Each structure stands twice: as C-alpha cells, then as structure tokens.
Amino acid sequence: MLTVMVMTRRRRWQKEVEVLREVAAVARQGWLIPQPSPTLKQHGDARHLVVFVHGIFASSGVFRPMAFALAREGLAPRQVNFDYTPVGTIERHAKRLCAVIADARVPGPVIVVAHSLGGLIVRHAVQHLGLHVDALVTMGTPHHGTSLARPWPWRLAQELSPGSVAIASLAATSHRLKRTAVTSVIAEQDVLVEASSASLSGSRLVRVPGVGHHGVLYDPLAWSAVRDAIRSVTEAPSDGGRSSGEFVVGPDGTVRDRAG
C-alpha cells in the first residue's frame, strides 16, 4: 500500500513539473515572439543553409536560443529565419518560403527546422512546388491534422484540421519527400498535437519525454535531433540528386535548380 501511495505521489509530482515546464516555455515565447530574427543571418561562411520555420501565432524569435547555440557550435553559420502571419494559406506561405530560400543562393545542402504548422508549409513547398530540402526536422507538426483547429474560423486554421484538403493533398503526395531525410520530433506531453499526428511515416522518430508543444523548442534532446540532421547531410558525402544549390522560382511558385 505504501509503495502504491509513493508511486502515485511521484506521478502527480512529475505531472506538475511537466505542466510548469510548459508554462515556462509559453512565457519564454511571450518574450521571444516580439524579437524576430533577420531573414538572412550569417555567423560565418558555410556551403549549407539552416532554415527555421515557426508555428502559427509565433515568429522566428522562438528559435533564437536554438539558432544561437547551433551557430556557436559551428553547425549553422548561415541561417534563414522565415516569418509569416497567421492568415492566408499553407500554399501562399510555401511559395514565399521558396522565394526566400532561393534568394539565399546557398551552394550546398539545405536543412529546415520547422515547428508545428511550419512543418506543413515546408512539406507543401517540397511536395507541390519542387523545393529541394536535404533534411527536414519537424517538431510537433500535425502531419495528420489536429482536431483542436476545427472550431477556428479562418482558413489557415481550417487547413490544420484532420481531413482538410491541405492535409489530404500532403498525404497523397508524401512519396515526393523521398529525397529528403525527415526527422519527426514528438513531444510526449503535447496536448495540441497527438503523437500519432506528429509522427510522419517513413521518418526518423525522436520522442522527447516530459515536454509539451512549446517546450520541445527548448529541450536538449530535440536540439540533438537537429544537430544529427545537420551533420547527416553536411558531414556524409551525398550528391542528394542536386546539380547545384542555387534555385530560381517561376511565376507559378514552383522551384527549379538554376543549373537544371
């Protein structure tokens, strides 16, 4: 009986700690969101490019701690911070993302780190617009939608709903991600995006215990997954099917390799 009571109290204490960690992460974002980073930020020369794409209602500021750490370690000397508003459509934001990456004129691999809705924007750019991404890390991305978005009245939120046209089109064309090394980072205490939705079939799965939807952005294990993704395409020889790293964007928003 005593053992059961101790275990029950321990679980309750652990749950309280997890809630406090998520509250702290939300508070931290409240401070970071008003501080978006410059679109192109260079800490040194690099052939590869690391791109950060935030979630809905956020800004590139939420990636500041991670981006600074990666730059300090020499893993992300050249960065693109993509900002977008919580209106419009996934397609519209994906077209802008293609243009921003094309403007960066990167000669080597492209690695994208995306949180929540940001992951769907990147997938649309890859699967429907032809953007080449060597490695993609999605963090708490609702690959299969989230039912919590259904009551929201505007279009971008509706695209996050399970069964939406946007979600269905990404599922139907997921084979177009075969040239991209995808890592799905799953926050095990995420109450906004279920683990089954944050898991993309065929991707490397990284489960982060004890953190929620926002806390995963600041978790050491999640950062390690990002480091692994960067190293996987910058340290291992791979042609990636690329003839060059420079892209041009057509009037329809599709991407073409400049040398192709």
Side-chain angles (χ1 to χ4, degrees), residues 27-85:
R28 191 176 192 180
Q29 287 196 15
W31 179 71
L32 290 170
I33 287 173
Q35 305 178 58
S37 299
T39 301
L40 180 61
K41 196 168 185 178
Q42 300 195 69
H43 303 268
D45 294 331
R47 290 181 55 81
H48 68 280
L49 183 72
V50 179
V51 183
F52 299 98
V53 185
H54 62 78
I56 197 169
F57 301 128
S59 80
S60 58
V62 300
F63 280 109
R64 274 181 176 267
M66 183 195 301
F68 179 78
L70 294 174
R72 184 180 54 197
E73 295 165 15
L75 287 172
R78 200 172 187 201
Q79 304 172 355
V80 158
N81 299 283
F82 181 73
D83 280 292
Y84 62 94
T85 59

Side-chain angles (χ1 to χ4, degrees), residues 82-99:
F82 181 73
D83 280 292
Y84 62 94
T85 59
V87 295
T89 64
I90 289 175
E91 179 181 25
R92 172 184 165 189
H93 297 316
K95 287 182 176 180
R96 277 195 54 241
L97 175 64
C98 290

Side-chain angles (χ1 to χ4, degrees), residues 18-33 54-59 61-66 114-117 139-141 148 152 185-193 208-220 222-223:
E18 291 168 356
V19 170
L20 288 173
R21 288 184 67 185
E22 185 67 357
V23 169
V26 171
R28 191 176 192 180
Q29 287 196 15
W31 179 71
L32 290 170
I33 287 173
H54 62 78
I56 197 169
F57 301 128
S59 80
V62 300
F63 280 109
R64 274 181 176 267
M66 183 195 301
H115 181 237
S116 196
L117 171 61
M139 309 173 75
T141 290
L148 293 178
W152 299 353
V185 177
I186 304 158
E188 292 191 345
Q189 304 306 318
D190 195 332
V191 297
L192 300 181
V193 178
V208 183
V211 298
H213 189 72
H214 304 286
V216 71
L217 285 167
Y218 313 107
D219 188 87
W223 288 17

